[in-house]
Amino acid sequence: MSEINTLHSIAGHFINVAQIESIQPLGNGLINDTFKIMMKGQEQPKFVLQHINDKVFTDVEMLQHNIETVTNHIRRKYEANGIPDIDRRVLHFLKADTEKTYVKVGEEYWRVMDFIADSVTQEAVTPQSAYDAGISFGDFEALLADLREPIGEIIPNFHNIEFRLKQLDDAIAADPVGRMADHEVQDYAKKIKDLAYDMSLGERLYREGKLPKRICHCDTKVNNMLFDKEVKVLCIIDLDTVMPSFVFSDFGDFLRSAANTGAEDDPDLGNIHFNMEIYNAFLDGYLEGTKSFLTPVERDHLPYAACLFPYMQAVRFFADYINGDTYYKVKYPEHNMVRTRAQWKLFESCQLEVDQLFS
Ligand code: GN1
Ligand code: MG
């Protein structure tokens, strides 16, 4: 069967295939494969079809349980508060003919959600949209603060920097594709290790009982928000990683993409700089959105969180490079090394910029 026929027949578990006009790739996520579904006679896509990467999300039942719990909770609150246009503000997953929100076809897992009408993604933000994003992600955490139904830790230790550093150590020790022979690679390994203790501060605060875990989004990249035509935040998407974490996850990971003047994988390090105007705007919005629950310890460590996420992402890209590119999609052989350099440059710039805030 051709790929197109395969996609059509998979979509057929959720929707009427006779009405499908086309199915085309959508977005640039590094984990799942995403497609937009156009229906006959309509100008905008109507649905999003997604192949779930079950090597990363090994418990698909838990994954969909988490997402349904979170979206239902947010939807109910929006309804209770009389928020307009709810279908464009919270994701909705379709039930398949199996009565679940996913199907298993062969060895692959698939799901379908509604496409949010008149929405766009952005790769960059302005101070105004960063402020709005701060409120939105703060609100997202606030909306989930009273969720009683448990949300599973879908990827255990996902943002645990001590665990990520241990994975890097294991990769270096195994060196399965011989990439440790290179001097630059050895230099990065040393630079990362030298800061490991300082950057693990969050995990120590947690063990000391000073830092809580809350339900967080855990992948707050700029391109995981949908904006309307007026560039107002409409909807938070990509809910796969919603799980208990430190609020540092949502604060730091947003700035990792939003405050970077270059691209996540920019080969030209001269483009990369940590933009404090975006930092300050996002901080203002985030403090506003989280004022009902944020503790002083959480608030005081937000500058640390801003540095932690480029550091952690450098560790993760670097470990994947040494492991021979088994986790992130790559477009060329050195891609994960290019990403490592770019994230490290951002980390250094962030340290310089927020240093004054530490003292
Ligand atoms: C992955 O799937 P995507 O591209 O939204 C990753 C994030 C990383 C990000 C780096 C489950 O997110 O943690 O920060 O790539 N998601 C997972 O761009 O590992
Ligand atoms: Mg994404």
Side-chain angles (χ1 to χ4, degrees), residues 147-167:
L147 184 61
R148 289 288 155 263
E149 201 169 334
I151 294 295
E153 199 176 333
I154 188 73
I155 303 178
N157 293 310
F158 187 51
H159 281 166
N160 178 338
I161 186 61
E162 290 174 344
F163 174 77
R164 294 300 183 185
L165 286 160
K166 168 79 172 62
Q167 285 186 316

Side-chain angles (χ1 to χ4, degrees), residues 28-32 50 217 219 221 223-224 237-238 240:
N28 51 6
L30 302 188
I31 305 293
N32 297 319
Q50 209 165 36
H217 181 280
D219 191 14
K221 287 200 290 200
N223 62 17
N224 281 336
I237 61 170
D238 202 350
D240 293 331

